[in-house]
């Protein structure tokens, strides 16, 4: 094994010990950065030519060589012969292959650059793209929820707090609730991308360079607005990666909440949702089973991005101000979070697109649990009863309905109600029964008929606008 081309100051290189050689390498993980690395190198080379540090001929050779390397990697993937683990990482493999192809012009590519600003730049470029991709997948998922919502504008169902029956809602509103959560993830990722407006390239190893580099040129070529304004900070921060992985964790958290909800809804006990057979599995022993394994996995996979976030935060903690090799461990966590969440978002979108509510099952017990009790209390408020008092009165009426084994407030007679509160009139029945109640909500964003109609309209506009 040859000595590493950048370890000339030492009597022997880290390849002298096979474990050390493997230990220090990150190639297995970072080879997927090759496109970004080549793009960054192209921009760097063009800048070097513009400021006169390499000739036009050098640049032409570098561009040709890097172009060929990219095509080779595209075609050969992991089998590309340039992947040499003794070269440690994607950056050194690409550069070594370039030098093999074009000789001295290739040896000039690294002028004024360090792997420290190189890898920082590659990673930010990668994260920007990944965030855009997840953003688009989130849009697809939101779309699927809106379509499902639209199909269920007329289904009335119970809403739960503490998983106990609370108030009646339009079923589609619950789809829009998930849409809201995934939209806020979308918004967050968009903000992350906007925040990544500075390029680390030009920072060098830590202190910049005495050569007449023009980092603004490379920044613009790579789609950044600004060059690094502090060479020390820019070589050794992974804040953009952290922001991104945090975004992955909130997506995963929202997915796991939704998955849990639908696991419950798909149970025989609830029966609110029917899942497509493609997204359930059978049992090796019990022939009747339709287990919601995909949803369970969506719930369980949240562990991966959560772990990535904690790992990345822990890796960054306590690092002295410049580059430390600890930072090489960043990419495995960023990629793991992304891979996991990308898969999950695609899976979730398919499940939502193929599932539906089961109005007949929801309807079977819709009138149990006094979903209209709050509505009755609000009716009393409109009749001048202080809310705390009306709350007490309705509490007594609920008890009365249950004691009489009628279980529904609307099954009490007017006289029975008036015995508790004489301002009650026969129009009270318009405020009772889940179907009436969902027509009565009037606050902005409400989960009844008016709120649903307004929200669904806005979501359709909003999602097609992006
Ligand atoms: N593969 C390394 C990483 O990902 C490249 C940086 C090495 N820099 C150094 N100064 N040894 O961080």
């Amino acid at each position: 094994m040859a000595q590493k081309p950048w370890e000339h100051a030492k009597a022997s290189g880290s390849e002298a010990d096979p474990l050390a050689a493997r230990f220090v390498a990150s190639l297995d993980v970072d080879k997927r950065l090759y496109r970004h690395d080549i793009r960054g190198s192209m921009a760097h080379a063009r800048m070097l030519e513009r400021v006169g540090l390499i000739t036009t001929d050098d640049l032409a050779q570098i561009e040709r060589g890097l172009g060929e390397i990219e095509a080779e990697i595209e075609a050969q993937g992991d089998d590309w012969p340039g992947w040499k683990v003794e070269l440690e990482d994607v950056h050194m493999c690409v550069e070594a292959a370039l030098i093999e192809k074009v000789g001295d012009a290739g040896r000039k590519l690294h002028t004024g650059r360090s792997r420290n600003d190189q890898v920082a730049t590659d990673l930010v470029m990668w994260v920007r793209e990944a965030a855009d991709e997840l953003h688009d997948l989130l849009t697809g998922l939101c779309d699927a929820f809106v379509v499902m919502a639209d199909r269920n504008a007329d289904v009335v169902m119970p809403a739960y707090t503490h998983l106990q029956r609370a108030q009646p809602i339009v079923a589609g509103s619950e789809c829009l609730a998930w849409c809201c959560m995934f939209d806020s993830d979308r918004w967050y990722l968009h903000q992350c991308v906007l925040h990544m407006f500075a390029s680390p390239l030009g920072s060098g190893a830590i202190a910049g360079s005495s050569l007449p580099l023009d980092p603004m040129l490379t920044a613009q070529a790579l789609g950044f607005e600004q060059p690094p304004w502090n060479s020390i900070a820019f070589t050794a921060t992974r804040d953009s990666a952290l922001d991104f992985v945090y975004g992955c964790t909130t997506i995963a958290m929202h997915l796991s909440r939704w998955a849990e909800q639908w696991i419950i809804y798909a149970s025989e006990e609830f029966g609110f949702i029917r899942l497509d057979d493609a997204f359930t599995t059978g049992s090796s022993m019990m022939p009747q089973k339709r287990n919601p394994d995909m949803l369970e996995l969506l719930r369980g996979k949240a562990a991966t991005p959560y772990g990535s976030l904690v790992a990345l935060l822990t890796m960054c903690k306590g690092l002295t101000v410049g580059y430390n090799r600890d930072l090489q461990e960043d990419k495995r966590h960023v990629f793991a979070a992304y891979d996991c969440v990308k898969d999950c978002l695609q899976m979730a979108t398919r499940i939502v697109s193929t599932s539906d509510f089961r109005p007949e099952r929801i309807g079977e017990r819709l009138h149990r649990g006094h979903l209209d009790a709050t509505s009755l209390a609000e009716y009393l408020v409109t009749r001048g009863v202080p809310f705390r008092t009306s709350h007490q009165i309705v509490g007594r009426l609920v008890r009365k309905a249950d004691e009489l084994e009628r279980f529904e407030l609307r099954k009490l007679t007017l006289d029975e109600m008036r015995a508790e509160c004489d301002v009650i009139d026969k129009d009270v029945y318009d405020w009772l029964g889940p179907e009436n109640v969902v027509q009565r909500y009037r606050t902005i964003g409400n989960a009844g008929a008016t709120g649903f109609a307004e929200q669904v309209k806005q979501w359709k506009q909003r999602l097609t606008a992006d």
Side-chain angles (χ1 to χ4, degrees), residues 6 24-27 30 33 87-92 114-120 205 238 323-331:
W6 63 100
V24 79
S26 55
L27 185 58
D30 64 28
L33 287 175
L87 293 176
E88 295 186 359
D89 56 29
V90 62
H91 322 290
M92 300 316 290
S114 154
R115 268 191 295 170
N116 299 353
D117 60 344
Q118 185 178 0
V119 68
R238 294 296 180 266
Y323 180 88
N324 290 275
R325 198 61 180 255
D326 315 43
L327 290 169
Q328 178 164 283
E329 287 296 303
D330 57 358
K331 286 167 284 297

Side-chain angles (χ1 to χ4, degrees), residues 165-194:
R165 290 195 164 209
Q167 290 178 285
I169 57 168
V170 167
S173 295
E174 195 171 290
C175 301
L176 298 184
W178 299 119
C179 190
C180 270
M181 293 179 225
F182 293 113
D183 182 61
S184 93
D185 296 330
R186 227 163 61 99
W187 179 248
Y188 175 84
L189 287 177
H190 181 63
Q191 296 302 312
C192 285
V193 173
L194 292 181

Side-chain angles (χ1 to χ4, degrees), residues 371-387:
L371 295 167
D372 49 5
T374 307
S375 176
L376 177 54
E378 291 186 347
Y379 166 78
L380 294 178
V381 168
T382 67
R383 304 239 120 200
V385 181
F387 181 74

